[in-house]
Amino acid sequence: MAKSRILTGITTTGTPHLGNYVGAIRPAIAASQNQDNLSFYFLADFHALIKCQDPEQVHQSTMEIAATWLALGLDTDNVVFYRQSDIPEIPELCWMLNCMAAKGLMNRAHAYKAAVAANQEAGEDTDYGVTMGLYSYPVLMAADILMFNANKVPVGKDQIQHVEMARDIAARFNHHYGQHFVAPEAVVDDKVAVLQGLDGRKMSKSYGNTIPLFLTEKQLKKHINKIKTNLLEPGEPKDPDSSTVFQIWQAFASEQQTVDMRQAFADGIAWGEAKKQLFELVNGELAEARERYNELLANPAAIEEKLQQGAEKARSFSSPLLAKCRKSVGIRPIG
Ligand code: TRP
């Protein structure tokens, strides 16, 4: 049986945090170990340009995200791990798909609609600050997905619509030019925790409430101490289900450890003590990877080499498929 192809991209605009780790990186690395799958994971640096025009930040983030995945044990012999911009077939396919994508479909994209709504609210022109990059973002994403004939695309809820648009565009291309692409399916894992941040809202770079993944021990301790709690004293029973400390605990703990911590909350564990134990637990899971991460950052050429190897592997898929697409649309040598 052919392996199921799993593909997902990570936009290179920030520094990975605990929420990214628990919600995306850890499950992706686990899925890549399943021999029934062939996983494609890539750094979406072309996508980064849509929302970040700071070149140093795009570059730094690309390096940090690559180092993070490698440090956490992504086995590059088993997966195809690459940087989007190293695959020239992607932007080329993107153009062909642009010529098949209905403008009306793009009008309905959430990210674009949100920008328009914000402009209307502010009394601005509806197109104020809207680039063609933002507008056609879903087409680039469709190219990413269709280029590798991905069957499954693990994403957050906000990205489901984009995967559906990729299906739509694929169907239209296939209908017109013959069968080239499989229909991808978004997979949203409800079991995976959406981590809360320091202030109790969803941990997200845009809220400025994150705990970066690879802090020094001292900084990690400091961040964990900043997690918002209530004023209950030691000895007073505490509600685990409304506590960010407990919620993060649960994302790192074994079942037994979770049961024990729930009991400790009922028994009135002090916030300081709960945070101390949380630090030990998180630090224990990350300490070794942190060392590898720092080694990689000290030797960026090793990261680049991995990405070049990944690009070569990725292009062994993208190059023949693009050649086929070119031919099908009528782009071929004369004579
Ligand atoms: N747009 C995705 C995000 O912001 C990242 C991404 C780019 C992606 N290309 C993709 C995800 C292809 C899945 C498949 O999260």
Side-chain angles (χ1 to χ4, degrees), residues 7-11 42 44 47 51 84 137 140-141 144-145 153-155 158-159 162-163:
L7 175 143
T8 199
I10 314 102
T11 307
F42 69 97
H47 276 96
K51 53 179 175 182
Q84 185 183 32
Y137 174 117
L140 179 55
M141 192 159 151
D144 292 332
I145 296 170
V153 185
V155 283
D158 60 319
Q159 299 290 323
H162 294 150
V163 181

Side-chain angles (χ1 to χ4, degrees), residues 16-319:
H17 55 69
L18 291 189
N20 300 139
Y21 172 68
V22 165
I25 308 173
R26 193 172 60 183
I29 292 179
S32 75
Q33 281 151 359
N34 179 341
Q35 294 302 321
D36 296 338
N37 299 334
L38 176 57
S39 300
F40 295 79
Y41 299 145
F42 69 97
L43 306 162
D45 54 348
F46 281 147
H47 276 96
L49 303 185
I50 297 168
K51 53 179 175 182
C52 178
Q53 282 91 41
D54 175 348
E56 268 322 299
Q57 195 185 325
V58 171
H59 181 73
Q60 178 72 21
S61 170
T62 303
M63 180 170 76
E64 288 179 0
I65 295 174
T68 298
W69 286 68
L70 295 172
L72 287 167
L74 183 72
D75 179 357
T76 51
D77 289 337
N78 263 322
V79 310
V80 191
F81 183 60
Y82 56 99
R83 179 170 48 197
Q84 185 183 32
S85 61
D86 285 334
I87 316 301
E89 290 80 10
I90 293 174
E92 191 170 335
L93 177 63
C94 183
W95 181 254
M96 294 183 197
L97 299 180
N98 260 303
C99 297
M100 277 284 125
K103 174 172 179 288
L105 185 68
M106 294 305 113
N107 288 341
R108 293 197 289 276
H110 298 316
Y112 167 68
K113 274 173 58 179
V116 169
N119 281 336
Q120 279 165 343
E121 188 134 325
E124 295 281 1
D125 185 274
T126 45
D127 283 333
Y128 178 76
V130 176
T131 64
M132 287 306 294
L134 175 66
Y135 191 67
S136 51
Y137 174 117
V139 186
L140 179 55
M141 192 159 151
D144 292 332
I145 296 170
L146 303 180
M147 190 80 265
F148 297 96
N149 269 327
N151 306 98
K152 292 187 178 152
V153 185
V155 283
K157 285 199 185 68
D158 60 319
Q159 299 290 323
I160 298 174
Q161 187 197 31
H162 294 150
V163 181
E164 283 167 359
M165 288 178 164
R167 281 176 82 94
D168 225 89
I169 298 169
R172 197 147 159 179
F173 194 100
N174 285 344
H175 181 73
H176 200 84
Y177 292 118
Q179 183 64 39
H180 295 280
F181 303 120
V182 305
E185 209 181 300
V187 266
V188 179
D189 189 345
D190 293 327
K191 292 194 300 294
V192 165
V194 176
L195 226 54
Q196 291 165 12
L198 298 176
D199 58 0
R201 290 187 291 173
K202 176 187 169 189
M203 190 180 289
S204 161
K205 187 179 159 237
S206 41
Y207 293 147
N209 65 356
T210 67
I211 303 178
L213 189 53
F214 292 127
L215 295 168
T216 63
E217 286 197 4
K218 209 170 139 194
Q219 288 168 329
L220 178 60
K221 209 173 272 174
K222 230 169 142 178
H223 273 75
I224 287 177
N225 280 330
K226 277 195 289 199
I227 298 171
K228 203 169 138 197
T229 55
N230 56 30
L231 296 172
L232 291 173
E233 298 287 338
E236 291 186 86
K238 298 175 177 66
D239 174 28
D241 296 314
S242 59
S243 160
T244 302
V245 175
F246 183 78
Q247 198 239 5
I248 300 179
W249 174 270
Q250 202 166 14
F252 284 83
S254 66
E255 264 175 55
Q256 187 56 47
Q257 285 171 316
T258 299
V259 169
D260 292 347
M261 187 54 89
R262 191 173 274 286
Q263 186 59 47
F265 267 62
D267 293 343
I269 187 172
W271 285 121
E273 177 58 25
K275 286 178 171 179
K276 190 169 149 254
Q277 291 188 24
L278 178 61
F279 164 76
E280 298 295 342
L281 183 70
V282 173
N283 191 52
E285 181 161 329
L286 298 177
E288 255 177 57
R290 177 199 296 134
E291 231 167 89
R292 282 194 296 270
Y293 178 77
N294 289 330
E295 280 165 21
L296 282 163
L297 287 192
N299 181 15
I303 308 174
E304 182 61 32
E305 195 185 322
K306 285 278 184 206
L307 291 178
Q308 290 307 326
Q309 288 165 355
E312 202 178 312
K313 223 162 147 187
R315 294 192 71 193
S316 75
F317 293 90
S318 60
S319 162

